[in-house]
Amino acid sequence: MLIGGLEAGGTKMVCAVGKENGELIDRTSIPTRMPEETFPGLIAYFRKWEIQALGIGSFGPLDLNRSSASFGSITKTPKPGWSGVNIAGKLREALGVPVGIDTDVNAAVLGEVTWGAAKGCENAIYITVGTGVGVGVYVNGGLVHGLIHPEGGHMLLQKSPEDTYKGCCPFHENCVEGLASGPAIMGRYGKPAKELADRPEVWELEGYYLAQAIANYIMLYSPQKIILWGGVMHQSLLFSIVREKVLKILNGYIYHPLVLEHIDRYIVEPGLGEDPGVLGSIKLGMMELEGN
Ligand code: ADP
Ligand code: ZN
């Protein structure tokens, strides 16, 4: 059986086809343009395969309320042309198969608990630190929805007293995305994050903010695994800075050997390389097909 997976991003659409065991058969990438220019390419790609279902992990915010008339839509996004677009509805209509949808980061955490670094965990979170900061939340064996869906990238943080940067989130000055995203680093230092590799103070501060956020997620969701990824995490020394600062902030309070003795196995990179999003999307398609 073949299932389609679509990782819908603001700059590119990663389209893939895979099997129920998580084996990818094919993948391609299409630039995200205006919806009317983008959908024909997506539809043509998935029509080439005999897929039984499609799963979408999309940029958001999304309407994920199944009883809503606009279920499966991107709601209000700064991305021109995409507000109100029912991405799941359009593809369901065009392809005639069941279509499951969730946020890009919820898809990624689902991929990781199904086949990756968090395999078998009942509770896990996936954090991406890139142009934005997104957090996928898997709790008690399911993805968290609710009023909308978690927006952990906008959790508020305590600013470092030495940090004079105002924050780049247009909604909140001191949220994770506002203080620790790639654009925040660029805004604070006037250079892209990649060019600041040899400035230890950049990564100390970055680690301080990410560790605060992670400590909060640990205390709220009690995850058994924390997966950290996104462009900014290509600075691999950040992993050890974050782990050390998480331990310092928790200060022994979360009394579990995985945290206290094996934090290098607790806060980790994805097990699925570049593919947690598309593989998680394939799993979303499978779940839709099976009716759960
Ligand atoms: P997106 O979030 O747009 O999907 P990415 O996860 O690749 O894409 O994140 C892009 C951000 O990551 C940019 O702000 C960029 O400055 C930053 N970035 C990319 N490569 C590196 C690197 N090697 N070191 C630090 N930051 C990086
Ligand atoms: Zn914010």
Side-chain angles (χ1 to χ4, degrees):
M1 181 167 73
L2 295 180
I3 309 286
L6 169 62
E7 189 181 3
T11 51
K12 64 179 195 289
M13 298 280 179
V14 182
C15 304
V17 171
K19 295 190 189 165
E20 309 99 291
N21 61 2
E23 184 194 337
L24 281 185
I25 303 293
D26 189 66
R27 104 209 279 285
T28 191
S29 176
I30 296 173
T32 306
R33 301 209 167 89
M34 292 298 272
E36 57 278 15
E37 295 168 72
T38 311
F39 277 104
L42 301 178
I43 293 165
Y45 175 81
F46 288 112
R47 276 195 181 145
K48 282 193 303 192
W49 304 88
E50 293 256 308
I51 58 169
Q52 305 295 303
L54 173 71
I56 306 171
S58 178
F59 71 96
L62 301 174
D63 183 348
L64 297 176
N65 176 358
R66 285 186 180 266
S67 55
S68 156
S70 54
F71 170 66
S73 300
I74 295 164
T75 57
K76 190 166 174 281
T77 171
K79 177 107 188 127
W82 285 86
S83 284
V85 169
N86 194 329
I87 183 166
K90 275 183 193 292
L91 291 173
R92 188 182 299 113
E93 201 174 297
L95 301 170
V97 294
V99 175
I101 185 165
D102 216 306
T103 62
D104 43 10
V105 279
N106 266 358
V109 74
L110 181 63
E112 288 290 324
V113 297
T114 310
W115 295 297
K119 194 168 172 191
C121 290
E122 285 281 302
N123 286 33
I125 61 169
Y126 181 101
I127 308 162
T128 177
V129 190
T131 307
V133 176
V135 184
V137 184
Y138 187 84
V139 169
N140 294 348
L143 294 167
V144 175
H145 301 131
L147 186 65
I148 304 173
H149 43 73
E151 284 285 5
H154 294 266
M155 177 174 272
L156 304 181
L157 300 178
Q158 189 168 40
K159 269 185 84 167
S160 161
E162 291 110 69
D163 185 13
T164 54
Y165 179 59
K166 218 166 155 284
C168 66
C169 173
F171 297 92
H172 329 100
E173 287 186 357
N174 58 323
C175 68
V176 193
E177 186 167 303
L179 294 175
S181 61
I185 298 172
M186 170 86 186
R188 184 181 291 115
Y189 302 102
K191 269 191 195 177
K194 207 194 280 193
E195 294 173 25
L196 295 162
D198 58 352
R199 300 258 306 264
E201 76 280 13
V202 173
W203 308 107
E204 279 292 310
L205 185 62
E206 180 69 10
Y208 170 72
Y209 288 137
L210 294 178
Q212 269 195 60
I214 290 171
N216 285 328
Y217 306 143
I218 293 172
M219 291 187 275
L220 188 60
Y221 295 124
S222 212
Q224 295 151 313
K225 196 72 91 176
I226 295 166
I227 296 155
L228 196 49
W229 204 229
V232 173
M233 293 311 300
H234 285 112
Q235 297 296 320
S236 49
L237 82 172
L238 248 184
F239 276 91
S240 48
I241 297 173
V242 166
R243 288 177 187 128
E244 177 216 317
K245 291 187 187 299
V246 165
L247 284 177
K248 204 164 161 200
I249 292 170
L250 293 176
N251 199 21
Y253 186 71
I254 301 297
Y255 194 74
H256 190 285
L258 194 52
V259 176
L260 296 174
E261 291 161 34
H262 304 292
I263 196 152
D264 54 327
R265 285 193 248 144
Y266 183 52
I267 301 175
V268 298
E269 47 183 78
L272 300 175
E274 297 301 318
D275 294 325
V278 275
L279 284 170
S281 300
I282 286 171
K283 179 68 180 175
L284 283 171
M286 285 163 56
M287 285 161 57
E288 192 67 21
L289 188 64
E290 290 157 8
N292 52 31

